[in-house]
Amino acid sequence: MERGKYYSVSVGAGDPENMTLKAVRILEEAPVIAVPQTSSGQTMALDIAEKVVDFSRKEIVKVRFTMSRDPDVLRQSRDGIADILQKYMDEGRDVAMVNIGDVSIFSTAVYIGEILEARGYETRMIPGVTSFCASAAEANISLVEGDDRLSVISAGSDMDEALELPGTKIIMKSGRQIDAVIQKIKARRLKACMVCNCGLENQRIYKDIADYNPEDAAGYFAVVIVRQEEKE
């Protein structure tokens, strides 16, 4: 029996209308849909995709990725998820894992794809609209022009060093660090905007990050864009 394929499928940053035709087709064709689930039971990637794709006849497999940074814990968690999905592929069924944003940017689905590929399974990545491109569009701003540079940075990086980089900086995965990140931006008098929960019903746009009030709670899905035109 021919083994099934594994697809990492991007569903975009929140607005289901930003899903690509290819992503929709793969999700419509795959009999098994793998869905990342938070510890609180949320399945945001599925919530986005099901507004476009009918999953009523699909087998939905919900998996939980650990938030631990311990390499051993991460490896065990990912290997365990790969084991679960491998069983469906051994039955000849394709598996498509939905992923928020684009699967090449801080993706959970690709970790599993790498493990399965190492085990000899065929894997594919289906691209999508990144959260920072969608955020720039919602804020109606251009990210780079001409010879500008663009850097995509995790808030867990050395922010002092990152903010000194030339060009436009995209800061993602801020989480609880968002207030500290904003304070560093303000201290340098950098021009920046922030989009929270891009494409979702509770989306908020701060064209000037100085307008952000910490009591608003930016949330995990906050994208900060530090513009090329840096200092006044």
Side-chain angles (χ1 to χ4, degrees):
M1 178 186 296
E2 183 177 355
R3 297 193 297 188
K5 302 180 183 65
Y6 173 81
Y7 294 91
S8 302
V9 182
S10 307
V11 300
D15 184 349
E17 290 187 345
N18 282 337
M19 287 180 60
T20 67
L21 294 174
K22 188 170 187 178
V24 171
R25 177 178 63 80
I26 294 298
L27 293 176
E28 288 177 339
E29 294 176 353
V32 181
I33 307 297
V35 180
Q37 184 179 41
T38 66
S39 57
S40 62
Q42 292 182 311
T43 54
M44 185 174 291
L46 178 64
D47 295 343
I48 294 169
E50 67 182 2
K51 294 178 181 177
V52 179
V53 180
D54 180 6
F55 292 116
S56 61
R57 297 184 179 181
K58 308 286 186 180
E59 181 155 3
I60 305 297
V61 182
K62 297 179 180 179
V63 295
R64 292 189 177 181
F65 287 83
T66 179
M67 298 303 291
S68 171
R69 293 188 178 184
D70 184 306
D72 291 332
V73 174
L74 285 170
R75 183 174 57 255
Q76 291 175 8
S77 172
R78 294 167 184 171
D79 282 342
I81 292 172
D83 290 342
I84 293 171
L85 302 184
Q86 181 177 320
K87 295 177 181 178
Y88 296 99
M89 298 165 69
D90 286 341
E91 296 171 352
R93 294 194 280 174
D94 291 343
V95 175
M97 180 177 286
V98 289
N99 192 96
I100 296 173
D102 178 83
V103 291
S104 66
I105 306 292
F106 299 123
S107 166
T108 52
V110 169
Y111 292 132
I112 307 305
E114 291 172 348
I115 294 171
L116 291 170
E117 185 174 33
R119 295 179 181 180
Y121 293 85
E122 185 175 349
T123 66
R124 306 275 181 84
M125 293 172 62
I126 309 301
V129 177
T130 66
S131 61
F132 56 85
C133 287
S135 294
E138 290 295 324
N140 203 33
I141 61 173
S142 172
L143 292 177
V144 285
E145 300 172 6
D147 295 327
D148 293 349
R149 297 183 184 182
L150 178 67
S151 300
V152 181
I153 304 157
S154 167
S157 305
D158 184 334
M159 291 306 303
D160 291 312
E161 179 181 335
L163 291 173
E164 292 298 325
L165 293 171
T168 301
K169 275 77 68 175
I170 305 295
I171 303 173
M172 302 175 64
K173 301 177 68 178
S174 298
R176 298 176 181 176
Q177 304 173 80
I178 189 63
D179 292 342
V181 169
I182 292 175
Q183 288 305 314
K184 288 181 180 294
I185 292 172
K186 288 181 176 179
R188 288 167 174 74
R189 298 176 64 193
L190 301 177
K191 301 180 71 172
C193 72
M194 178 169 67
V195 179
C196 303
N197 302 313
C198 181
L200 301 175
E201 292 182 359
N202 57 343
Q203 171 181 289
R204 299 194 307 278
I205 300 175
Y206 300 89
K207 296 294 287 275
D208 185 342
I209 207 165
D211 296 332
Y212 170 70
N213 185 336
E215 294 182 0
D216 293 342
Y220 181 78
F221 296 104
V223 175
V224 177
I225 303 173
V226 184
R227 302 297 306 283
Q228 171 74 21
E229 308 82 17
E230 295 183 342
K231 296 185 179 179
E232 299 177 349

